[in-house]
Amino acid sequence: MRDQATFRIWRTQPDGGGGFRDYTTAASEGMVVLDAVHRIQAEQAPDLAVRWNCKAGKCGSCSAEINGKPRLM
């Protein structure tokens, strides 16, 4: 089953400011937030920087604030 999900991602501007931007992308069962962010990066925002390493939820490099709480993507 494939649904749509909207992600509000903070985008920093070169002048030091920034703001949130909404991205809607396809989501399917079994996806994690990191998968969705990679899809957004590939399809809508190639200049979006995201750090990750193991994708196993162990190293902590993919941490982000998700729904107001620090989490692993």
Side-chain angles (χ1 to χ4, degrees):
M1 185 166 138
R2 193 159 236 176
D3 294 311
Q4 296 286 317
T6 300
F7 295 83
R8 179 164 283 169
I9 299 175
W10 178 266
R11 301 300 311 261
T12 303
Q13 299 300 318
D15 65 4
F20 285 102
R21 179 159 175 213
D22 290 347
Y23 297 92
T24 300
T25 191
S28 57
E29 188 174 337
M31 283 181 71
V32 295
V33 173
L34 185 58
D35 296 329
V37 171
H38 282 152
R39 180 172 281 157
I40 291 166
Q41 185 182 43
E43 297 175 355
Q44 300 175 50
D47 62 338
L48 178 64
V50 59
R51 178 187 293 188
W52 66 283
N53 189 32
C54 72
K55 200 181 172 215
K58 297 181 188 247
C59 74
S61 71
C62 67
S63 63
E65 187 173 308
I66 301 171
N67 294 332
K69 297 179 182 174
R71 298 277 186 244
L72 298 178
M73 291 194 281

